[in-house]
Amino acid sequence: MTDSKPMRADARRNRARILAAAEEVFAERGASASTEEVAARAGVAIGTVFRHFPTKRDLLAAIMKDLRRRLIEKAEALIAGGDPATAFFEYFTFLVGSSAGAGAVVSLLADEGTPIEPGEQIMALDHVFARLLDAAREAGTVRADVRLDEVMALLTAVTHGALAAGWPDDLRHRTVNLLLDAFRPR
Amino acid sequence: MTDSKPMRADARRNRARILAAAEEVFAERGASASTEEVAARAGVAIGTVFRHFPTKRDLLAAIMKDLRRRLIEKAEALIAGGDPATAFFEYFTFLVGSSAGAGAVVSLLADEGTPIEPGEQIMALDHVFARLLDAAREAGTVRADVRLDEVMALLTAVTHGALAAGWPDDLRHRTVNLLLDAFRPR
Amino acid sequence: MTDSKPMRADARRNRARILAAAEEVFAERGASASTEEVAARAGVAIGTVFRHFPTKRDLLAAIMKDLRRRLIEKAEALIAGGDPATAFFEYFTFLVGSSAGAGAVVSLLADEGTPIEPGEQIMALDHVFARLLDAAREAGTVRADVRLDEVMALLTAVTHGALAAGWPDDLRHRTVNLLLDAFRPR
Amino acid sequence: MTDSKPMRADARRNRARILAAAEEVFAERGASASTEEVAARAGVAIGTVFRHFPTKRDLLAAIMKDLRRRLIEKAEALIAGGDPATAFFEYFTFLVGSSAGAGAVVSLLADEGTPIEPGEQIMALDHVFARLLDAAREAGTVRADVRLDEVMALLTAVTHGALAAGWPDDLRHRTVNLLLDAFRPR
DNA sequence: TATGAATGAGCCTTCATTCAT
DNA sequence: CATGAATGAAGGCTCATTCAT
């Protein structure tokens, strides 16, 4: 979009490394982990991190963006190839279990006041989710009166909760299953 | 128990002020807000805060303790005077709506590694919650297979989520109602 | 001297207690120990310490003065009743061994820049020491060319060294004996 | 040994500056002088000091190490090229006069409880001193019964005393000469 | 007078960000 | 572009000193 120059090969490799390292570090230590540690884990110097992401906030935002992208891809795969009646539930479950990395990052939404994302990406995730939800509704496996924002709200809450509180797998499974029941018609 | 001396009037007033200021500040800015700001909001010098709470962690712990106490009192009132069939639902709803201050603080449980509370207080909250849950189960308004830890997990998640994401009242209501349905027998 | 009022009995008792506590505390923890701890050890409130000694420095000075007084008394006893030929050596040895409390305090002379004493007291100690030294010189047990300032310098150095470095008794004995030999005529 | 990278030129320059400034500052103000002042004197920002010496204690330790190194070098030069009969006396005199910077720092060994040095360095200094002492003993200029620990004890005491009390040159000379006589056979 | 709470300057340390190499 | 040293604003905490009780 705004890519004036194509970016050198090693630069792109560094960018990817940093992103990966950052996701790990922030997931382990929370959003207050130091940028220095990210650099170390990525095997680059601190200056390099700031060249790619002028601000710590930018780095965090990039992680979120990256994560969203992967989640959207997964959703699209489910939309394309899954069973509409169950895809929604599968996806919800998958998200809570998988977002290890993201959850920690999300937490900074609470720590800092200002939102961190371009919005457009959120819309995209909302969009695929809406499609899964609609499909399930049509298939009759989700109540007609369940709205998207409620689903997203619960998703966010449980995702973060699972990570922040470190729910063991067993608890997470039971909790999510219980919650999903709320969506089912009675 | 350990109150050797009753504590001077002005000291008690300051302690209360600090606690109130801290609850506000941490709710607004998250647990990483500075102690200095708490002092400013309370209208005292920084030293005074540290005289009452030798450590930032102590201050956070005190807030939690204070909050728990209030929550437990509310629960006991409901146990004593409410309708067993609905008290559980009322309480859950109340908690999510009321814990403005606490949620933010709870988040530090994730930020820092070390637990922040005496434990006994947590037990106390769990305990009253268990009683409300049991009563509801007996009254047949809650499914027999719902376990306490699942309830607490969801409560924590939704409470924090509501605060961190700043759900508007309307969304919060719908979300909580939806969630509570998950507890009901079908 | 400047005592306008005779000072109430309990006040004098407090003053003494504080002095004693301070000597202990500073000897154990060094001059950087907190005034609060002195108060605690003395069993009084911090305000009381500052009422008697408006400044930490004043407190330190008072300890020194007190110590000097005791040392001078000891010297006078030796001058009055001891053997002139050996009194000097006895006294020197006694000082190094006894000044446990003072040494730590002396160290603050190095820590802070400004001298701590009225001077007149130092003179007094110098004075009795001069008398012991003269007596020994006349008795022929000390070299004629040994001057008072050298003796005082070595005394201070060794006293402080013994304390600061925590010389065991054995080492201190040998060291002092060796040093005293330097004063003897050959 | 652990020098993986040679260290940038400006970094080395700063490190040296900081070390020099610290030696001055601590010598003047004692070990309790602020790191901020060291930074100011060195003409760098406070962060730079902490980058080179992560802890104030580390800075102090570095000064000591540096000083010891210089002292040991001097001793080795004397062992190699000096007159065994007098080298010991020369060195002792030199140490007392030169250690302006160190003495103050040494005092922190007393102030804080924990030792500050690798130990091996102390051994090294002891070692060269032992050789000088042995040589003098063999040359007959030092009494046979003088032990190394006594010598070191007196050295430390006098060195620190000279600095802390600010002995004028004249007094220092006379005192040291008097003391050295104690080592000579009679 | 004694008490002990309040004050606030100052200390050590961390870390996002900048900039010379 | 990458490197990593330098910067300097906070932040948590301590402690001598003041002052209301």
Side-chain angles (χ1 to χ4, degrees):
Chain A
M1 247 164 234
T2 355
D3 307 16
S4 33
K5 291 271 177 69
M7 195 181 232
R8 265 162 48 176
D10 57 341
R12 185 159 43 246
R13 197 165 44 247
N14 272 344
R15 203 194 125 94
R17 266 195 195 173
I18 293 169
L19 228 36
E23 196 165 329
E24 273 181 44
V25 169
F26 291 135
E28 285 171 21
R29 297 260 210 284
S32 67
S34 88
T35 312
E36 193 84 42
E37 189 168 342
V38 171
R41 180 95 52 122
V44 303
I46 182 73
T48 305
V49 175
F50 277 89
R51 161 169 285 270
H52 285 280
F53 309 93
T55 278
K56 187 176 180 178
R57 165 162 294 266
D58 291 335
L59 176 54
L60 264 339
I63 295 178
M64 297 282 289
K65 190 170 176 183
D66 202 55
L67 177 76
R68 297 253 182 212
R69 186 179 45 67
R70 289 186 327 244
L71 299 186
I72 290 171
E73 275 168 15
K74 166 81 180 184
E76 281 166 347
L78 272 176
I79 292 172
D83 171 4
T86 59
F88 168 79
F89 296 93
E90 266 180 65
Y91 191 51
F92 196 107
T93 305
F94 160 74
L95 282 184
V96 178
S98 77
S99 2
V105 175
V106 169
S107 83
L108 131 153
L109 282 169
D111 274 18
E112 321 275 325
T114 20
I116 226 176
E117 279 196 75
E120 118 206 47
Q121 276 252 328
I122 297 190
M123 310 269 13
L125 188 55
D126 275 25
H127 182 65
V128 295
F129 226 111
R131 290 176 60 191
L132 287 166
L133 181 61
D134 285 346
R137 221 161 7 210
E138 268 169 43
T141 50
V142 159
R143 288 159 55 167
D145 63 339
V146 167
R147 289 212 232 148
L148 181 62
D149 59 354
E150 297 158 5
V151 173
M152 297 302 285
L154 285 167
L155 174 64
T156 305
V158 172
T159 292
H160 184 266
L163 183 83
W167 298 349
D169 284 3
D170 170 55
L171 175 59
R172 195 184 67 237
H173 288 145
R174 283 187 287 120
T175 304
V176 171
N177 286 336
L178 182 60
L179 176 59
L180 290 182
D181 262 4
F183 298 144
R184 298 208 167 83
R186 7 197 78 214
Chain B
M1 228 166 240
T2 353
D3 308 14
S4 31
K5 286 275 175 69
M7 194 182 225
R8 247 161 62 176
D10 55 343
R12 184 158 48 246
R13 197 166 43 246
N14 272 341
R15 201 194 126 96
R17 266 195 199 169
I18 292 169
L19 228 36
E23 197 165 327
E24 273 180 46
V25 170
F26 290 135
E28 285 171 22
R29 297 257 209 287
S32 68
S34 87
T35 311
E36 192 82 41
E37 189 168 344
V38 171
R41 180 95 51 120
V44 302
I46 183 70
T48 303
V49 176
F50 279 94
R51 159 172 274 266
H52 286 280
F53 309 94
T55 279
K56 187 177 178 178
R57 165 160 292 264
D58 291 335
L59 176 54
L60 263 340
I63 295 177
M64 298 281 289
K65 189 169 177 183
D66 203 53
L67 177 77
R68 297 249 182 214
R69 187 179 44 66
R70 287 181 335 236
L71 299 186
I72 290 171
E73 276 168 15
K74 167 80 178 184
E76 281 167 347
L78 273 176
I79 291 173
D83 172 3
T86 60
F88 169 78
F89 296 95
E90 266 180 66
Y91 191 51
F92 196 108
T93 305
F94 159 76
L95 283 184
V96 177
S98 77
S99 8
V105 174
V106 169
S107 81
L108 130 154
L109 283 169
D111 273 18
E112 320 275 326
T114 18
I116 227 173
E117 280 197 75
E120 114 203 55
Q121 276 250 329
I122 298 188
M123 310 269 12
L125 189 55
D126 275 26
H127 182 64
V128 294
F129 224 111
R131 290 177 59 190
L132 287 166
L133 181 61
D134 287 345
R137 219 159 11 207
E138 267 169 44
T141 50
V142 158
R143 288 160 54 168
D145 63 338
V146 167
R147 291 212 230 149
L148 182 62
D149 60 352
E150 296 159 5
V151 173
M152 297 301 285
L154 284 167
L155 173 65
T156 304
V158 172
T159 292
H160 184 266
L163 182 85
W167 297 348
D169 283 4
D170 171 55
L171 174 58
R172 194 183 69 237
H173 288 144
R174 283 187 288 119
T175 304
V176 170
N177 286 336
L178 181 60
L179 177 58
L180 290 182
D181 262 4
F183 298 144
R184 298 205 167 84
R186 6 199 75 214
Chain C
M1 245 162 236
T2 354
D3 308 15
S4 32
K5 291 272 177 68
M7 193 182 232
R8 266 164 46 177
D10 57 340
R12 185 161 41 247
R13 197 165 44 248
N14 271 344
R15 203 194 125 93
R17 266 196 196 172
I18 292 169
L19 228 36
E23 196 166 328
E24 272 181 45
V25 169
F26 291 136
E28 284 171 22
R29 297 259 211 284
S32 67
S34 88
T35 312
E36 194 84 41
E37 189 168 343
V38 171
R41 180 95 50 121
V44 303
I46 183 70
T48 303
V49 174
F50 277 90
R51 161 168 285 270
H52 286 280
F53 309 94
T55 278
K56 188 177 179 177
R57 165 162 295 265
D58 291 334
L59 176 54
L60 263 340
I63 295 177
M64 297 281 289
K65 189 169 176 183
D66 202 54
L67 176 76
R68 296 252 181 212
R69 187 179 45 66
R70 287 182 334 239
L71 298 186
I72 289 171
E73 277 168 12
K74 167 81 179 182
E76 282 167 347
L78 272 177
I79 291 172
D83 172 2
T86 58
F88 168 79
F89 296 94
E90 266 181 64
Y91 192 50
F92 195 108
T93 305
F94 160 75
L95 283 184
V96 177
S98 77
S99 4
V105 174
V106 169
S107 83
L108 131 152
L109 282 170
D111 273 18
E112 320 275 326
T114 20
I116 226 176
E117 280 198 75
E120 117 205 48
Q121 276 253 327
I122 297 189
M123 310 269 12
L125 188 55
D126 275 25
H127 182 64
V128 294
F129 225 111
R131 289 177 61 191
L132 287 166
L133 181 61
D134 286 345
R137 220 160 9 208
E138 269 170 43
T141 50
V142 159
R143 289 159 54 164
D145 63 338
V146 167
R147 291 212 231 148
L148 182 62
D149 60 354
E150 297 158 6
V151 173
M152 298 301 286
L154 284 167
L155 174 65
T156 306
V158 172
T159 292
H160 185 267
L163 184 83
W167 297 349
D169 284 3
D170 171 54
L171 175 59
R172 195 184 67 238
H173 287 144
R174 283 187 287 120
T175 302
V176 171
N177 286 336
L178 181 60
L179 177 59
L180 290 182
D181 262 4
F183 297 145
R184 297 207 167 84
R186 11 196 74 214
Chain D
M1 229 165 240
T2 351
D3 309 14
S4 30
K5 287 274 174 70
M7 194 182 225
R8 248 161 61 178
D10 55 344
R12 185 160 45 246
R13 199 167 40 250
N14 272 342
R15 202 195 126 95
R17 266 196 199 169
I18 291 169
L19 227 35
E23 198 165 326
E24 274 180 44
V25 169
F26 291 135
E28 285 171 22
R29 296 258 209 287
S32 67
S34 86
T35 310
E36 192 82 41
E37 189 168 344
V38 171
R41 179 95 51 120
V44 301
I46 183 69
T48 304
V49 175
F50 279 92
R51 159 172 274 267
H52 286 279
F53 309 95
T55 280
K56 187 178 180 177
R57 165 161 292 265
D58 291 335
L59 177 55
L60 263 340
I63 295 177
M64 298 281 289
K65 189 169 176 183
D66 203 52
L67 177 77
R68 297 249 180 212
R69 187 179 43 67
R70 285 178 342 233
L71 298 186
I72 290 171
E73 275 168 15
K74 167 80 178 182
E76 280 166 348
L78 273 176
I79 292 173
D83 172 2
T86 59
F88 169 78
F89 297 94
E90 267 181 66
Y91 191 52
F92 196 108
T93 305
F94 159 76
L95 282 184
V96 178
S98 75
S99 3
V105 174
V106 169
S107 83
L108 131 152
L109 283 169
D111 273 20
E112 319 275 326
T114 18
I116 227 175
E117 280 197 74
E120 110 202 58
Q121 277 249 327
I122 298 188
M123 309 268 15
L125 189 55
D126 275 27
H127 182 64
V128 294
F129 225 111
R131 290 177 59 191
L132 287 166
L133 181 60
D134 286 345
R137 225 167 355 215
E138 269 170 43
T141 49
V142 159
R143 289 161 54 167
D145 62 338
V146 168
R147 291 211 228 148
L148 182 62
D149 60 354
E150 296 159 7
V151 174
M152 299 301 285
L154 283 168
L155 175 64
T156 305
V158 173
T159 292
H160 184 266
L163 182 85
W167 297 349
D169 284 3
D170 171 55
L171 175 58
R172 195 184 68 238
H173 288 144
R174 283 187 286 120
T175 303
V176 170
N177 286 336
L178 182 60
L179 177 58
L180 290 183
D181 263 4
F183 298 145
R184 298 206 165 84
R186 4 199 78 213

